Each structure stands twice: as structure tokens, then as C-alpha cells.
């Protein structure tokens, strides 16, 4: 047990060491081989290809925008022409109705049609005056008995 006590002593810190890593042995040997000259054709070709791709994408976007605008213009033109036709028809019907109203409102024509039906103007006329209505309704539009009784009481007083 003495060994266990030493391993878990209070305040004792165990020294932890990471294992050493070994580096691979690399040697640089100066060589006599000459570097090859790189030609700048490959980067130029890549730049041209990228530029061409950007131009093609730009042309495609502009073409789609143009087609969208043209179709929207055509749609609005058709809608406008349909509305113009409806307005023209409504005006024509309004003119026909105005002429019919003028014909039907003509008092001479009304008297002539009445006499053809055997109708005659009244010999005398009287004015009938009615008392105010005592039936009342509430805010919901339903009949209100209490308000009706109150109104009846006020009209008799």
C-alpha cells in the first residue's frame, strides 16, 4: 500500500514528457542540372479562357434579360388591347342604354302607353302621413323589445 500512497500523494505533480519526435534526415545536394525555362503561354491561355468564359456568361445574362423584358412587354400589350376592347364595348352599351332610357323616360310615350292599356289619370289625390315607426333594433340589427316600448311611450307622451 505504500506504493499506492506515493502515486496519489496530495500536491504531487507528475512530470509528463512528450516523446521526442525525430526529424527525417534530409540533405540538400547542390546539383548541376539547369532549370528549364518556363514559357508564359499556359498562363496566357488560361487568362484568355477565363475572359472568354466571362464574356459568354455576360452575353447569356443579357440575352435572358432581353427575352424577359420582351415577353413582359408583349404580355402588357395584350392586356392593354383587351382592356381597350372592353372599354369600347362598355361605351357602346352605355350609349345604347342612354338612348333607351331617354325613350322610356319620355312622358308623352308613357301617357300614350297608359291610355292604350286603359289607364286614366287620377281624379284626385290625397296625402297620407304616417306616424313614426316605434319598432327599434339594437346594434346587432336584432329587434329590441325594450327600445320599441320606450319609443312607443315617447310618441304617446
Amino acid at each position: 500500500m505504500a506504493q499506492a500512497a506515493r502515486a496519489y500523494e496530495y500536491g504531487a505533480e507528475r512530470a509528463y514528457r512528450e516523446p521526442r519526435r525525430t526529424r527525417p534526415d534530409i540533405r540538400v545536394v547542390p546539383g548541376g542540372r539547369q532549370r528549364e525555362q518556363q514559357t508564359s503561354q499556359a498562363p496566357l491561355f488560361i487568362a484568355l479562357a477565363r475572359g472568354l468564359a466571362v464574356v459568354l456568361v455576360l452575353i447569356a445574362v443579357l440575352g435572358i434579360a432581353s427575352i424577359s423584358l420582351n415577353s413582359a412587354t408583349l404580355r402588357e400589350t395584350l392586356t392593354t388591347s383587351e382592356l381597350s376592347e372592353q372599354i369600347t364595348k362598355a361605351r357602346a352599351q352605355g350609349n345604347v342604354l342612354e338612348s333607351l332610357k331617354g325613350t322610356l323616360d319620355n312622358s308623352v310615350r308613357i301617357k300614350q302607353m297608359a291610355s292604350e292599356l286603359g289607364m286614366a289619370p287620377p281624379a284626385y289625390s290625397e296625402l297620407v302621413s304616417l306616424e313614426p315607426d316605434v319598432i327599434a333594433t339594437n346594434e346587432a340589427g336584432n329587434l329590441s323589445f325594450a327600445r320599441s316600448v320606450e319609443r312607443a311611450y315617447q310618441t304617446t307622451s
Side-chain angles (χ1 to χ4, degrees):
M1 281 227 198
Q3 289 177 348
R6 269 189 247 131
Y8 295 105
E9 255 180 55
Y10 180 73
E13 296 179 14
R14 287 182 27 184
Y16 177 76
R17 290 186 185 175
E18 289 186 27
R20 281 186 112 188
R21 294 183 189 167
T22 59
R23 294 184 182 173
D25 190 20
I26 298 176
R27 293 185 209 167
V28 177
V29 179
R33 185 173 178 189
Q34 296 292 327
R35 287 188 177 177
E36 294 181 19
Q37 295 273 336
Q38 290 185 350
T39 59
S40 62
Q41 291 177 355
L44 180 64
F45 178 73
I46 292 173
L48 286 176
R50 285 182 184 167
L52 182 63
V54 168
V55 168
L56 289 176
V57 168
L58 184 63
I59 289 173
V61 168
L62 290 175
I64 290 171
S66 173
I67 290 172
S68 298
L69 288 174
N70 286 338
S71 67
T73 303
L74 181 63
R75 189 178 325 115
E76 293 303 318
T77 303
L78 292 175
T79 304
T80 303
S81 66
E82 288 175 7
L83 289 175
S84 296
E85 289 176 14
Q86 290 176 359
I87 289 171
T88 304
K89 287 179 183 178
R91 285 182 180 164
Q93 288 176 348
N95 291 338
V96 169
L97 290 175
E98 259 185 65
S99 65
L100 284 176
K101 181 181 181 243
T103 304
L104 293 175
D105 281 349
N106 189 350
S107 61
V108 174
R109 183 174 183 276
I110 292 173
K111 286 180 184 177
Q112 180 185 9
M113 289 180 73
S115 64
E116 288 176 3
L117 293 173
M119 300 171 96
Y124 65 93
S125 62
E126 290 185 25
L127 179 63
V128 178
S129 59
L130 300 174
E131 294 180 15
D133 193 9
V134 294
I135 297 178
T137 58
N138 60 10
E139 292 79 22
N142 300 325
L143 294 177
S144 173
F145 181 72
R147 287 187 184 176
S148 298
V149 170
E150 184 181 333
R151 275 192 186 174
Y153 179 72
Q154 288 174 355
T155 56
T156 57
S157 302

